[in-house]
Amino acid sequence: MKYAILPVTQFQQNCSFLKCEATDKLAIVDPGGDLENILEALKQVGGTPEKILVTHAHLDHVGAVAELADTLSLPIEGPHKDDQFWIDMLPQQAQMMGFAPSRPFTPNRWLEDGDRVTVGETEFEVRHCPGHTPGHVVFYQPESKLVVVGDVLFNGSIGRTDFPKGDFDTLITAIKEKLLTLDDDVSFIPGHGPMSTIGHERVNNPFVSGKHG
């Protein structure tokens, strides 16, 4: 599997492209905005877009989902259904944050913990990681030792929990049970900022290393 990352919107959210090398099919993960930039990046990445994957429904991650799905006739998979209220609020989110108008969408498939999603012949494990939002999911590809974590975990930090239905303790539990159980050499693509590895965060991230507070 190959991947590429394109920061989009004024929040510099990491929209990522996951491509199955065997089939040249690819998924676009969290197309948060800047649709024209995403379409241009798809030309550079190459391959055949197969689906849109969504980690969670905050505006900077899903602002262009409906428009991209319509433009390329792609199905949408994710997030977990507990983020429905965030999807419903997309027009208000866009107005409040000064983004371009964004409209709600209905995923072709809501995802649950333990589900599998495929990109070509490449299979990802779905892990439900609430706390930042209640319906947040991550996508783990064991053979590539890569996990796309959205806003659950960052290089040196964790996702905010001060949004509606966010919860700090829930997030920490999700990180410990769903991410820190992965091998140290698993790399992750966060929703913002540089990539890191599970091992690095296990030792150095103050929120999960036991060094916080």
Side-chain angles (χ1 to χ4, degrees), residues 109-141:
R109 179 188 177 197
W110 294 106
L111 297 175
E112 300 277 350
D113 190 70
D115 281 349
R116 299 286 190 272
V117 298
T118 57
V119 180
E121 297 176 1
T122 303
E123 187 175 73
F124 293 79
E125 298 176 11
V126 176
R127 300 187 175 201
H128 182 210
C129 293
H132 178 66
T133 71
H136 201 304
V137 297
V138 304
F139 302 102
Y140 172 51
Q141 213 297 306

Side-chain angles (χ1 to χ4, degrees), residues 11 13 30 54-62 79 82-83 85-86 93 127-138 149-154 157-175 179 190-192:
F11 290 172
Q13 190 275 129
D30 288 359
V54 176
T55 63
H56 68 293
H58 280 163
L59 174 67
D60 56 322
H61 291 254
V62 298
D82 284 352
D83 265 15
F85 78 103
W86 278 118
Q93 287 190 63
R127 300 187 175 201
H128 182 210
C129 293
H132 178 66
T133 71
H136 201 304
V137 297
V138 304
V149 302
D151 285 357
V152 173
L153 184 67
F154 299 110
S157 190
I158 60 172
R160 290 175 57 175
T161 56
D162 57 339
F163 296 115
K165 298 189 181 179
D167 184 80
F168 179 83
D169 291 339
T170 301
L171 179 62
I172 294 297
T173 298
I175 292 170
L179 293 179
H192 306 264

Side-chain angles (χ1 to χ4, degrees), residues 8-196:
V8 296
T9 83
Q10 54 263 52
F11 290 172
Q12 292 293 282
Q13 190 275 129
N14 289 330
C15 173
S16 53
F17 306 88
L18 308 175
K19 183 162 72 169
C20 170
E21 294 184 82
T23 63
D24 237 20
K25 292 184 177 179
L26 63 86
I28 304 104
V29 186
D30 288 359
D34 300 338
L35 179 63
E36 293 305 318
N37 293 352
I38 292 172
L39 294 174
E40 184 60 35
L42 282 170
K43 296 177 186 176
Q44 303 299 320
V45 172
T48 304
E50 185 180 30
K51 62 185 63 175
I52 297 168
L53 298 178
V54 176
T55 63
H56 68 293
H58 280 163
L59 174 67
D60 56 322
H61 291 254
V62 298
V65 165
E67 195 173 2
L68 181 63
D70 286 350
T71 300
L72 300 181
S73 299
L74 297 178
I76 304 162
E77 298 189 13
H80 183 282
K81 60 182 178 294
D82 284 352
D83 265 15
Q84 174 75 65
F85 78 103
W86 278 118
I87 296 175
D88 294 341
M89 288 171 55
L90 277 175
Q92 296 96 316
Q93 287 190 63
Q95 190 173 23
M96 286 169 51
M97 303 301 295
F99 274 58
S102 180
R103 56 187 170 86
F105 58 90
T106 301
N108 298 80
R109 179 188 177 197
W110 294 106
L111 297 175
E112 300 277 350
D113 190 70
D115 281 349
R116 299 286 190 272
V117 298
T118 57
V119 180
E121 297 176 1
T122 303
E123 187 175 73
F124 293 79
E125 298 176 11
V126 176
R127 300 187 175 201
H128 182 210
C129 293
H132 178 66
T133 71
H136 201 304
V137 297
V138 304
F139 302 102
Y140 172 51
Q141 213 297 306
E143 291 76 25
S144 302
K145 290 190 171 292
L146 180 74
V147 58
V148 183
V149 302
D151 285 357
V152 173
L153 184 67
F154 299 110
N155 185 330
S157 190
I158 60 172
R160 290 175 57 175
T161 56
D162 57 339
F163 296 115
K165 298 189 181 179
D167 184 80
F168 179 83
D169 291 339
T170 301
L171 179 62
I172 294 297
T173 298
I175 292 170
K176 290 181 176 179
E177 294 182 354
K178 304 295 177 62
L179 293 179
L180 295 189
T181 50
L182 301 174
D183 292 340
D184 283 347
D185 59 349
V186 171
S187 298
F188 67 86
I189 300 174
H192 306 264
M195 293 179 62
S196 184

